[in-house]
Amino acid sequence: MSDYKTTLNLPKTDFPMKAGLTEREPAMLARWEAAGLYGEIQRRRADAPLFVLHDGPPFANGDVHMGTALNKVLKDFIVKSRTMLGFRAPFVPGWDCHGLPIEFKVVKESRGLSPVEIRQKSEAYARQFIDTQRRQFRRLGVFGDWENPYLTLDPGYEADIIRSFGRFVERGLVYQSQKPVLWSTGAQTALAEAEVEYAKRTDPAIYVKFASAAAEGPLADASFVIWTTTPWTLPANVAIAVHPRAEYVLGDFGGQKLLVARERREAFAAESGLEFLGELAVFRGEELLGASARHPFLPRESRVITADFVTMDSGTGQVHIAPGHGKDDYLAGQQNGLPTLSPVDDHGRLTEECGVAAWVGKYVFDANKDVVAHLREIGALLAAHDYVHDYPHCWRSKTPVVFRAVEQFFIRVDDLRAPALAAIDETRWLPTWGRNRIAGTVESRPDWCISRQRTWGVPLPVFYDAAGKPILDPAVIEKVANLVAEQGTNLWFERDDAWWADAVGLPAGTTRRNDTLDVWIDSGVSHEAVLRRRPELRFPADVYLEATDQHRGWFQSSLMTSIALNDVAPYRTVITHGFVVDKDGKKISKSAEYKKPTHAEHFVNQYGADILRLWVSTVNYTDEVPFGEDVFKQVAERYRGFRNVLRILLANLDGFSAAQASLDGATTIDRWVLSRLQAVVEKCRAAYEAYDFRGVFEALNQFCTVDLSAIYVDVTKDRLYCDAADSPRRRATQTVMHACFTAVTRLLAPILVFTADEAWGYAGHAQSVHLETFPEPDATLRDPEFEARVEEWLKLRGLVYQQAIEPARQARTIAKSLEARVTLAVPAAQLDGLAAARAELAEFFIISDLELLAAEAPAVTLAKSTDAACERCWRHLPDVGATASGLCGRCATAVPTCTAA
RNA sequence: GGGCCUGUAGCUCAGUUGGUUAGAGCAUGCGCUUGAUAAGCGCAGGGUCAUAGGUUCGAGUCCUAUCAGGCCCA
C-alpha cells in the first residue's frame, strides 16, 4: 500500500494556530508605530470627505479601567470603520487635567504647600497618568495622534477657556450671587465633599415655636413648630418647609395651639412633655402653602413653603429653612424666591447681619447656647436636649464644617435653555432615549455655578476694584487670556495684585481672589479649544460618544457652552454606552471590598487586546455591559473560531495567486458562498455605518462559523485536497475562498486590529490591512436562486445526518460519512431538481453515493457502501480499481500532476 | 423619593408593523474523524420570554402594577 498523502494538495500555511497575542501584539504595535501607520492612513485620506469623532477627555488619574477601555475601543471602532468606509477620520485624543481629585491627592501627600507648589505637583501628577493611560490606550490598538493629544492644562487650551469665559461675560450671561458651600472655619476655605470626614458630635436639638402670622382662621393664635440641631442658623431663617402630601394636625398641647405632622405627634408630645389634649384642625401640607409665621426673635416673616425633602424621621415635619446654610435650603430658597442670608464670617463667627448685637463675633458653635437661652427667655423654646450625631468635619483642621453662603459666579441658564432644547432636537441621539435624558436635565437645571475655591484649575479671570466690586470686562479678560496663552495660568498665582493690575491696565488697588473655574468649563469648551483650533478637525463634530453619566456631564456642559458661543450644538450625533458591570449585573465598586480585576491591563495581559476588543463587539453597549473572567473565556473561544477560519482559508490558498482566479469551474456551493458573502459585506457595512458593532460580529460569526467552517470548507476538502492542483473546480473554489478571506479580513480589521493585520500579511500583502477600504458588495454575484437551492439542500442535509448518518455512527455501522450510501426519498415535485445535481449533492452531504427516490413524505435510509474505498480520497466508488493504480478515476488522473509538482 | 433606561436558554445576544412547535454562537453531554489535529464535523439536552394582572380571536412583542439591576438627581 503506497502512501498517497504526499500526492494531496493539503492545506499549508505558516499562520500560527496559536495566537500568542500577549507577545505578538506588542511587537506588531512597535512596527506600526515605527512605520507611522496612523500618519500614513491620514495622508492617504487627505482628499477624502471628513468624519470627526471628538474624544471626550478622560480624567488624568488612575489606570485605564474596563469602562474607559470600552469607551476608547468603541471610539476606535468608529474611527477605523469610517476610515475603511472611505472617510478621513482623524482621532485627536485628549485629557482632562485640572480638578479636585488630583489636587486632593497632592495635598494629602504633602501638607503645607503654597498654591504654586500645589499646582506644580498637580501638573506632574496629571502628566504621569497621561503617560500611563496613553500607553494603555495604545496597547489596546487604538489609533490616533498620540504624540499630539489635547490637554486642558496646555497654555493654549487654558487661554481658550478664559476667552470663552470672556464671551460669556460679553453676552451678559455671567452674574455674581451667594451660594452655600461647605466651609472650613479652621482653614478658612471652601471644602469639597471629598475633603470632609464624619465624626461624632453632640449638639443641642431644640423644638422652636414660630407664631402664626394669621389674624383669623384656624391658624390664628397657633404656632408652627420646627426642630433643629443647629440653633446658630436660626438668625438666617426665612421659611418653614412642610411636606406637600403629609398630614398636619393642629392640636392643643398643654394649652398651646401647635401644628405638628400627624406622624410626629406622639414623638413630639413625648419629647416636649406637652400633653396632647385634642385635635383642633387637620391640614394637608400643600394647604399650608402661603401661610406665614413670625420669626421668633427677629422682626421678619418666615414663609411656609412645601418641599419633598421633608421627612418624618425626626422633628415635627416642619423644617427650618435657612438658604444660606444648607443645600436643600438653598434650592428651596431658589424655587421660592427667598433671600440667602449668611451672617457668618470666614472664621465661623456671627456678623452684625445676624441681628442680635450680643452675638456678633461669637463662634457659631459657641453661639448655640446663647441662642437656646434667648429662645427660652422669650418663650419660644418648647424643648431642648442633647443630640449625638455624625457631623462633617474638615479633614485638615478637624474643625466642624459649616454651611455658609459665599459669593459665587453663575451662568444664567435661563437665557440658554430654549436654544439648548432646540439644539437637542436637531441632534441625533443614540439610543433615542438619550434625547429625553438630556432634555430632562436641561429643563430642570438651575443656574450654573462656575466658580470654585480651589487651586488646581484655571483661574477665574475676575478683578475687584478698591470697593471690592467685581470687574467683569471682556477686554480685560482677553488680556488675561493672551498672557496665559504665552505663560500659562501659573502666572495668576505667581504674580501679585499690583503686577496684574498693571499688566491688564487696571488702576492700582485692584485685587484678585484665588477662585478657579469649574472644571466642567474646561472640558466643556473643547469644541472651541480643539475642534476649531486643530486644522485637521472641524466644528461641529460628527459624533460624541461617552457613557450615560455624561448626559448631565460633558454632553450638557459642551452643549451649554456651545449655545453660548455658537448658538448651535457642538455635535451632530451623540452616542452613549452603559457602564461596565460585573457579569452578575452588579455594579463594579471602586471600594476596597471589590476584589475582582477591573483594570483593562489585567485582561490585555492575560488574553490580549484583540480579545478585549472582540468582547466589546459582542455586547449591547447601550445597556449595562457585563464582563468577567468567564465572559472573557467565552470570547476567547470565539476568537479562536475566527482565527482558525482565517487560517484554513490561508492554508487552502497555498500556491494560489490572484492571477489564477476564475469561476469557470464553480459549482452550486461556490456560487452560494459567493452570494452569501455579498450579503455579509452589505450587512457589515450597514452595521458599521449604524454603529452596530454587534451586528458586524453576528454577521461575521454566522458566516465564518456556519457557512464557511461547518459547511463550505468541510464540503470542499475533497476537491481541494484530491483534485488536480489546477483543475477548474479546485481553482474556482480557491477563487471563492480568496474572495472570502480578503473580504472577511478587512471587515474584521476594525475589531481584531492585530489579528486581521497579521493574517493580511500572511496573505502576501506588504502593506497593513488598515490602509485598505472595506469590500464593496458585488450585485452580480448575488444569486437568490443558488441561495434558495442550498437552503433546500441544507434542510435535507439535516435530515440525512439526523436520521441516517448519526444513528449509523452510533450503531457503529459506519465510522465516517464517506462510507455511507444514502437513499433519499423526496416528494416528486422536488425530485427532478435534485436528481440533476446528484453528484454535487453527494459531495455536499460528504457521502460516497446517493440514490434519489420519489415518495410522499421525505425519508432517508443508509447502507454501508459496497464499493471499494479509493486509497487516496477515501471515497467508496464503483470505478475504484478500474485502473492499474487501484485508485478512483479522478485520483488516477490527478496523481501524476501532483507528484510532478 | 424623582427622572431616563434595562430584565429572552449556564453565558453573550437575535426575535421585522402583536400571528404557526421562541432562534444563533459559546458552554455542557454523547459520538465521529485524525489529510484544519493543543484543530475539524455531527447529534442531543437546556427557555412557564423577571413576576402578577389586563387589552386582544391571538402577546416575548401593547397597557398597568410589583420585583431586580444601571445611570443621573434628591
Side-chain angles (χ1 to χ4, degrees):
Chain A
M1 179 194 274
S2 53
D3 183 10
Y4 287 104
K5 188 167 170 175
T6 56
T7 72
L8 296 170
N9 303 298
L10 289 179
K12 184 169 167 255
T13 178
D14 293 327
F15 183 69
M17 179 177 284
K18 193 167 166 9
L21 294 180
T22 50
E23 289 92 49
R24 217 163 261 141
E25 287 176 347
M28 190 171 291
L29 203 52
R31 284 201 298 279
W32 287 341
E33 290 182 3
L37 182 56
Y38 172 76
E40 180 62 21
I41 293 169
Q42 299 311 308
R43 275 192 292 285
R44 295 209 182 190
R45 294 287 190 284
D47 300 322
L50 182 60
F51 183 94
V52 176
L53 181 148
H54 181 39
D55 189 32
F59 196 59
N61 182 15
D63 288 292
V64 172
H65 191 263
M66 284 304 282
T68 336
L70 169 76
N71 174 262
K72 222 52 149 202
V73 167
L74 285 171
K75 285 171 178 165
D76 194 49
F77 284 175
I78 294 177
V79 168
K80 284 202 172 78
S81 57
R82 292 288 148 163
T83 299
M84 294 187 80
L85 282 163
F87 289 90
R88 173 164 72 83
F91 183 66
V92 177
W95 273 276
D96 198 9
C97 308
H98 298 121
L100 180 74
I102 291 177
E103 182 178 338
F104 190 57
K105 280 218 169 87
V106 165
V107 172
K108 212 165 192 173
E109 274 168 22
S110 40
R111 310 259 163 124
L113 297 172
S114 72
V116 171
E117 287 168 328
I118 290 173
R119 292 173 55 84
Q120 285 166 345
K121 280 185 181 287
S122 294
E123 174 166 352
Y125 184 97
R127 286 195 183 277
Q128 173 206 328
F129 276 105
I130 289 167
D131 284 343
T132 301
Q133 292 187 2
R134 171 164 45 195
R135 180 172 47 75
Q136 294 172 346
F137 285 142
R138 286 176 129 160
R139 178 64 186 83
L140 288 171
V142 177
F143 290 178
D145 195 355
W146 294 110
E147 297 308 321
N148 304 292
Y150 76 86
L151 308 181
T152 59
L153 58 68
D154 284 336
Y157 194 111
E158 291 181 324
D160 277 337
I161 294 171
I162 291 171
R163 285 195 188 97
S164 298
F165 176 76
R167 306 247 307 270
F168 303 156
V169 168
E170 206 174 341
R171 290 191 66 166
L173 292 166
V174 178
Y175 69 94
Q176 201 188 20
S177 177
Q178 286 203 318
K179 184 188 169 180
V181 295
L182 288 164
W183 186 270
S184 166
T185 58
Q188 291 98 50
T189 176
L191 298 174
E193 300 280 351
E195 292 170 307
V196 166
E197 296 171 349
Y198 284 81
K200 287 253 186 295
R201 204 191 133 73
T202 305
D203 280 307
I206 56 174
Y207 287 94
V208 183
K209 241 176 20 172
F210 277 60
S212 166
E216 50 191 32
L219 285 173
D221 304 325
S223 289
F224 296 89
V225 182
I226 64 97
W227 180 84
T228 181
T229 59
T230 53
W232 63 270
T233 61
L234 284 171
N237 173 281
V238 293
I240 295 169
V242 296
H243 195 283
R245 291 178 297 282
E247 196 176 61
Y248 290 83
V249 173
L250 181 64
D252 181 343
F253 289 86
Q256 304 191 66
K257 278 172 76 178
L258 302 176
L259 187 80
V260 177
R262 184 180 292 286
E263 272 185 72
R264 301 298 306 167
R265 200 200 71 200
E266 284 179 28
F268 168 71
E271 286 188 23
S272 66
L274 296 171
E275 196 184 347
F276 179 65
L277 300 173
E279 203 170 283
L280 305 170
V282 175
F283 303 88
R284 266 173 71 81
E286 56 200 0
E287 293 176 294
L288 295 165
L289 184 63
S292 172
R294 284 192 297 273
H295 192 282
F297 54 81
L298 293 173
R300 188 197 296 150
E301 176 196 44
S302 190
R303 276 172 54 196
V304 175
I305 61 172
T306 58
D308 284 336
F309 62 76
V310 174
T311 66
M312 297 298 158
D313 301 337
S314 57
T316 59
Q318 294 155 79
V319 175
H320 142 59
I321 297 293
H325 293 306
K327 204 171 171 185
D328 284 339
D329 302 48
Y330 176 75
L331 288 173
Q334 293 293 101
Q335 281 161 15
N336 292 281
L338 301 170
T340 303
L341 308 179
S342 195
V344 177
D345 70 10
D346 287 0
H347 294 272
R349 297 179 300 224
L350 290 169
T351 64
E352 271 182 43
E353 247 193 303
C354 79
V356 178
W359 300 344
V360 175
K362 286 216 172 194
Y363 180 49
V364 293
F365 292 102
D366 295 335
N368 272 343
K369 64 176 188 305
D370 298 286
V371 176
V372 174
H374 185 59
L375 290 169
R376 182 172 287 125
E377 213 168 285
I378 61 175
L381 189 73
L382 292 169
H385 56 268
D386 282 347
Y387 185 73
V388 181
H389 57 158
D390 285 319
Y391 192 83
H393 288 70
C394 170
W395 66 283
R396 285 172 76 180
S397 66
K398 306 297 176 193
T399 52
V401 163
V402 299
F403 259 100
R404 172 185 179 237
V406 298
E407 293 287 347
Q408 302 288 0
F409 287 85
F410 293 83
I411 285 180
R412 224 180 290 282
V413 171
D414 278 340
D415 293 2
L416 303 173
R417 209 180 310 274
L421 289 170
I424 285 170
D425 281 334
E426 278 160 28
T427 302
R428 183 176 171 220
W429 300 90
L430 292 176
T432 50
W433 49 258
R435 194 215 79 93
N436 290 344
R437 229 183 135 173
I438 190 164
T441 66
V442 168
E443 275 161 12
S444 65
R445 83 158 293 164
D447 281 354
W448 183 357
C449 179
I450 56 169
S451 52
R452 295 295 134 92
Q453 289 67 51
R454 310 300 328 165
T455 303
W456 179 227
V458 173
L460 184 82
V462 174
F463 295 86
Y464 296 81
D465 64 20
K469 198 170 159 275
I471 301 165
L472 285 168
D473 179 351
V476 169
I477 294 166
E478 178 62 25
K479 284 180 191 163
V480 175
N482 290 338
L483 286 164
V484 162
E486 284 165 23
Q487 304 182 56
T489 49
N490 278 346
L491 201 61
W492 184 266
F493 298 85
E494 287 161 359
R495 301 293 185 163
D496 61 17
D497 287 341
W499 186 93
W500 271 102
D502 183 53
V504 298
L506 287 170
T510 303
T511 59
R512 296 164 302 142
R513 291 180 193 168
N514 284 341
D515 286 351
T516 53
L517 281 161
D518 177 15
V519 290
W520 284 109
I521 298 272
D522 287 30
S523 57
V525 298
S526 65
H527 49 80
E528 193 69 15
V530 181
L531 289 179
R532 283 193 191 278
R533 292 281 180 191
R534 299 280 288 233
E536 71 270 42
L537 304 178
R538 125 185 113 195
F539 177 96
D542 291 288
V543 167
Y544 276 36
L545 181 155
E546 305 298 334
T548 57
D549 57 340
Q550 300 304 331
H551 280 119
R552 181 164 281 268
W554 191 54
F555 297 150
Q556 200 203 188
S557 62
S558 298
L559 175 67
M560 289 308 189
T561 57
S562 184
I563 292 293
L565 298 174
N566 311 299
D567 299 311
V568 294
Y571 34 63
R572 296 201 170 106
T573 297
V574 176
I575 306 173
T576 47
H577 60 83
F579 273 63
V580 165
V581 296
D582 196 292
K583 83 155 181 41
D584 302 323
K586 295 282 178 344
K587 76 166 161 185
I588 307 301
S589 167
K590 281 176 188 165
S591 72
E593 300 97 73
Y594 194 86
K595 292 285 196 290
K596 295 181 202 166
T598 57
H599 286 179
E601 208 165 35
H602 167 87
F603 292 95
V604 169
N605 289 342
Q606 192 163 342
Y607 297 95
D610 268 359
I611 305 286
L612 189 149
R613 298 177 64 102
L614 189 61
W615 162 72
V616 173
S617 81
T618 64
V619 298
N620 174 7
Y621 64 80
T622 61
D623 284 352
E624 302 105 71
V625 177
F627 88 111
E629 210 73 51
D630 41 356
V631 172
F632 266 76
K633 286 199 181 107
Q634 184 191 325
V635 172
E637 267 324 290
R638 261 324 43 244
Y639 170 84
R640 231 161 39 112
F642 281 119
R643 186 175 182 93
N644 284 328
V645 166
L646 294 181
R647 182 169 179 272
I648 189 62
L649 292 178
L650 275 173
N652 280 335
L653 289 170
D654 179 51
F656 176 81
S657 71
Q660 295 165 312
S662 164
L663 290 174
D664 291 348
T667 63
T668 301
I669 193 172
D670 302 307
R671 298 281 182 193
W672 166 74
V673 166
L674 216 41
S675 183
R676 282 277 303 131
L677 178 64
Q678 307 316 309
V680 169
V681 168
E682 213 168 292
K683 168 97 198 286
C684 287
R685 292 183 66 109
Y688 271 124
E689 258 170 79
Y691 313 108
D692 172 20
F693 311 112
R694 256 205 68 73
V696 175
F697 171 82
E698 289 280 322
L700 290 176
N701 186 40
Q702 178 71 22
F703 185 64
C704 288
T705 306
V706 180
D707 298 335
L708 288 180
S709 187
I711 302 171
Y712 189 59
V713 171
D714 209 31
V715 165
T716 56
K717 274 177 189 170
D718 174 76
R719 61 174 79 160
L720 285 172
Y721 302 173
C722 306
D723 275 11
D726 59 353
S727 89
R729 189 169 72 150
R730 182 165 185 275
R731 287 299 185 220
T733 298
Q734 286 182 308
T735 302
V736 171
M737 286 191 176
H738 180 77
C740 290
F741 176 84
T742 56
V744 167
T745 305
R746 282 180 290 163
L747 292 171
L748 222 35
I751 298 171
L752 298 181
V753 266
F754 295 99
T755 304
D757 210 24
E758 183 191 357
W760 196 248
Y762 278 97
H765 297 97
Q767 289 188 329
S768 170
V769 71
H770 301 296
L771 293 166
E772 301 291 324
T773 54
F774 285 140
E776 307 260 3
D778 182 344
T780 65
L781 297 174
R782 278 304 282 276
D783 198 322
E785 197 185 309
F786 280 106
E787 291 203 33
R789 192 190 303 177
V790 174
E791 282 302 310
E792 183 193 1
W793 288 10
L794 281 169
K795 283 200 190 94
L796 296 172
R797 178 180 183 260
L799 209 62
V800 168
Y801 273 80
Q802 183 190 31
Q803 297 189 1
I805 293 177
E806 195 54 30
R809 272 179 184 160
Q810 302 271 354
R812 304 283 190 270
T813 311
I814 58 165
K816 47 192 166 191
S817 60
L818 279 179
E819 293 170 41
R821 178 179 192 284
V822 169
T823 305
L824 178 61
V826 295
Q830 244 182 312
L831 188 61
D832 285 351
L834 294 176
R838 198 176 64 96
E840 280 193 31
L841 255 184
E843 184 196 26
F844 188 73
F845 295 155
I846 317 185
I847 56 178
S848 285
D849 193 19
L850 175 70
E851 187 180 351
L852 291 160
L853 301 171
E856 274 183 29
V860 193
T861 55
L862 179 146
K864 190 166 178 168
S865 175
T866 51
D867 295 324
C870 168
E871 280 180 45
R872 185 165 174 276
C873 70
W874 298 341
R875 292 187 69 188
H876 293 251
L877 295 167
D879 64 350
V880 169
T883 59
S885 63
L887 299 176
C888 73
R890 182 265 310 262
C891 286
T893 4
V895 167
T897 68
C898 295
T899 45

